[in-house]
Amino acid sequence: MRRFTIRLALLLLAVVNAHAQEAAYPSRPVRMVIHIGAGSSMDIVGRVLAQKLTETWGQQVIVDNRAGAGGIIGIDVVAKAPPDGYTLLFGAGSMAIAPSFYKKLPFDAQRDFEPITQITSRYNALVAPAGSQLQNVKDVIALAKAKPGFVSYGSGGGTGSSDHLTGELFGMMAGLQLLHVPYKSGPAAVTDLLGGQLVIYMGGVPVSLPMIRTGKMRALGVSSLKRIAQLPETPTIHEAGVPGFEVNIWYGLFAPRGTPPKIVAKIAADVARVVRTPETRERLAGLGAESEGTTPAEFRAYFLADIAKWAKVVRAAKVSAE
């Protein structure tokens, strides 16, 4: 009887400690892994969130850029991290592409993560150097049809990224043969675009916007169905020659599978409050991103639907990686 009482007391103590840890979360710095290089659209938005959560929590949110292999390296780091809420993944739509694009992955995108919240939505811009003869989307289509395989485009997230598949979808819907050139970050692709190594760039508005505003690059089209506030004079690719074309690039927060539901719910609620403040909304809008802040259940449903969507694109475009 005495032994049973001791065991029961220890069990109750463990439960109390676990609840105390959850209630006090976070009680130490939190690492947020971003699976792309510094300076990219994704990194820029991720750092805005990290700063705001640091202010909210009173604990440092440390950004850890882990680029490479189309984002797989960084994603896998979080998949194998302790499920305690102190290692989070700032993920992008490429996580929904990976299951169908890669034949083998070191993680299961649907099984190994707890979707926390969709942070933002953003769109891609189709751009060319200011000195290019390409003036609009129809010029790109005409050149690509006249010279199959000549029109090269860079993707900031590398092979299998959202930027890559955006270009594949554009080529597929417009009946074009484009040449994909992968980069670890958007700024690296933009540098080569301005240097003449690429014909076009199909990447995030946050990366392209400064160059567009300073006149170094020309925006030819955006991947939304409606024109966006940051580039009101730029037509959508849908209206400029490829009807029905739309790609919404989302950013979301994930935790390793098994992270306590109370911690997941707290993070989701805190992120929603942060991204919906007028100050943060305005700051993200200036970067070409729209604030979201969904619940874990809403984000899980959206994530699973996106996996199914991109699986169809991968099959139709006949692209894959070993």
Side-chain angles (χ1 to χ4, degrees), residues 108-121:
D108 186 312
Q110 299 185 55
R111 185 192 65 198
D112 293 341
F113 298 94
E114 303 289 350
I116 299 175
T117 182
Q118 181 184 346
I119 302 162
T120 64
S121 296

Side-chain angles (χ1 to χ4, degrees), residues 37-239:
S40 63
S41 300
M42 182 177 176
D43 177 67
I44 293 169
V45 175
R47 288 177 185 274
V48 170
L49 179 66
Q51 177 191 340
K52 291 301 180 182
L53 286 179
T54 295
E55 296 170 1
T56 299
W57 289 340
Q59 295 289 344
Q60 187 71 33
V61 177
I62 302 166
V63 172
D64 182 4
N65 293 94
R66 295 294 186 97
I72 291 175
I73 292 174
I75 296 170
D76 192 44
V77 166
V78 179
K80 293 177 171 56
D84 56 9
Y86 288 93
T87 301
L88 304 176
L89 176 66
F90 187 89
S94 55
M95 283 187 66
I97 294 169
S100 55
F101 187 80
Y102 293 95
K103 294 181 179 179
K104 290 183 179 180
L105 287 170
F107 55 82
D108 186 312
Q110 299 185 55
R111 185 192 65 198
D112 293 341
F113 298 94
E114 303 289 350
I116 299 175
T117 182
Q118 181 184 346
I119 302 162
T120 64
S121 296
R122 75 150 175 86
Y123 299 99
N124 277 3
L126 171 59
V127 298
S132 169
Q133 294 183 346
L134 301 174
Q135 300 292 319
N136 50 51
V137 173
K138 289 185 178 180
D139 284 350
V140 176
I141 294 173
L143 178 61
K145 286 186 174 180
K147 298 182 177 181
F150 171 77
V151 175
S152 56
Y153 74 96
S155 65
T159 302
S161 66
S162 299
D163 289 356
H164 172 203
L165 267 293
T166 298
E168 290 290 346
L169 182 61
F170 172 65
M172 185 175 70
M173 292 183 67
L176 312 175
Q177 183 184 336
L178 304 176
L179 175 62
H180 171 237
V181 183
Y183 291 85
K184 287 187 177 181
S185 70
V190 167
T191 296
D192 274 7
L193 177 75
L194 296 177
Q197 283 78 47
L198 294 173
V199 177
I200 56 173
Y201 172 57
M202 180 79 84
V205 171
V207 168
S208 301
L209 203 54
M211 298 294 181
I212 295 169
R213 287 174 172 168
T214 56
K216 294 181 179 179
M217 295 197 311
R218 179 183 300 123
L220 308 179
V222 291
S223 68
S224 55
L225 282 179
K226 296 180 179 179
R227 297 193 184 195
I228 62 175
Q230 294 76 25
L231 295 168
E233 301 302 318
T234 303
T236 68
I237 295 172
H238 157 73
E239 69 177 293

